[in-house]
Amino acid sequence: MGRIVKKVLIVLLLGILGLFLIQRKEVLAPVLEKIPVIKIEQSEIKKETEIIQQEKKYIKKIVVTPTPDNEPWGVAKQIDEVTWTMKIGEDETMATAKEILTALNEYRKVRGSQVLNWDEKLVNYAQERAKFLNGIKSVDQHKGFNDFVENQNGFDKLGFTALGENISYGYRLNGVHVIEWMYAGDKPHNDNQLDNRWNYVGIGVDGLATCLIFGTGKF
């Protein structure tokens, strides 16, 4: 008898709870109707997932500098008579002309070459060259320099009996890395920056371009 009473009570309680929920639903129905229903189909979820994955891949690509290829790191490769290319890392900031001068003279001293003096005429011309190279986003095989000294009376304009040039474009490097990584990477450019016949230098920096103009026989 006791079990029958318990069952009746449980059924009665469930009935009351069901009635309460029905009443609550009727009260909440007008409110629920005003809440916008967001429908996202499976195809849309898949599309959004693919977009996110593509964006993640893109982020990975732009972080890697430079773009991976089959060229070895830190090895200069000659691409024409006067031009070399090299794959190296980049620094956070680009060196100033004076920072490159300090690195150059330290590099020369360690290797037995004399310290070079700063010359404003050489500096001004080197800055013109660096600006030009940054404008064309490349180097020019020294064509601008050769035309200046051979056809525009460059020796007299700068006041030297002998002139030389090292130029570069493409990497953001500090002063030491400009001299000891890039210009020291191949023998001709390294020999030029260590040459004992030079007594003066002017250095220009513009964007990712650098230009070193060496001089001797000042008059």
Side-chain angles (χ1 to χ4, degrees):
M1 184 68 178
R3 291 181 181 179
I4 296 174
V5 172
K6 288 180 180 179
K7 288 181 180 180
V8 172
L9 289 174
I10 290 171
V11 172
L12 180 62
L13 288 171
L14 289 175
I16 294 172
L17 179 61
L19 180 62
F20 173 76
L21 290 175
I22 292 171
Q23 291 175 344
R24 292 290 293 176
K25 184 176 180 180
E26 291 176 353
V27 173
L28 292 174
V31 178
L32 292 173
E33 290 177 357
K34 295 180 180 180
I35 299 176
V37 178
I38 299 174
K39 294 182 179 180
I40 302 178
E41 296 182 1
Q42 188 66 27
S43 60
E44 293 179 353
I45 295 175
K46 182 178 179 182
K47 183 178 179 181
E48 292 297 325
T49 303
E50 290 175 352
I51 292 173
I52 292 171
Q53 292 299 324
Q54 289 175 359
E55 289 176 348
K56 286 182 178 179
K57 290 180 182 179
Y58 176 72
I59 291 172
K60 289 180 181 178
K61 286 181 180 179
I62 64 174
V63 169
V64 178
T65 305
T67 303
D69 54 35
N70 295 325
E71 296 297 328
W73 286 78
V75 178
K77 179 182 178 181
Q78 189 169 2
I79 58 176
D80 60 42
E81 185 178 355
V82 296
T83 309
W84 278 255
T85 183
M86 181 190 300
K87 183 169 71 173
I88 53 180
E90 290 192 299
D91 296 315
E92 292 184 1
T93 59
M94 186 68 179
T96 66
K98 287 297 180 73
E99 288 170 345
I100 295 174
L101 173 67
T102 299
L104 173 62
N105 277 332
E106 289 298 320
Y107 185 70
R108 285 174 63 90
K109 284 192 296 183
V110 170
R111 285 154 182 78
S113 298
Q114 80 276 24
V115 170
L116 299 180
N117 297 302
W118 188 255
D119 182 84
E120 287 299 330
K121 284 187 177 181
L122 296 182
V123 170
N124 292 337
Y125 179 63
Q127 188 60 40
E128 289 180 15
R129 288 284 290 150
K131 185 176 181 179
F132 170 76
L133 298 174
N134 193 52
I136 65 172
K137 309 300 180 188
S138 183
V139 290
D140 66 349
Q141 300 175 311
H142 302 293
K143 291 179 181 179
F145 172 77
N146 291 336
D147 180 66
F148 176 72
V149 296
E150 294 172 6
N151 303 318
Q152 300 179 42
N153 201 26
F155 293 108
D156 289 339
K157 287 180 179 179
L158 297 181
F160 289 88
T161 59
L163 296 166
E165 178 183 66
N166 274 2
I167 55 176
S168 71
Y169 176 80
Y171 283 102
R172 183 176 61 249
L173 300 173
N174 64 38
V176 172
H177 292 161
V178 168
I179 298 302
E180 298 189 20
W181 282 8
M182 188 164 55
Y183 285 130
D186 64 85
K187 190 175 187 303
H189 288 90
N190 192 45
D191 287 349
N192 198 35
Q193 69 178 359
L194 290 175
D195 199 327
N196 281 325
R197 65 176 169 164
W198 306 129
N199 295 307
Y200 295 88
V201 68
I203 301 172
V205 178
D206 192 276
L208 298 180
T210 69
C211 176
L212 281 64
I213 301 294
F214 304 97
T216 193
K218 187 174 184 178
F219 59 85

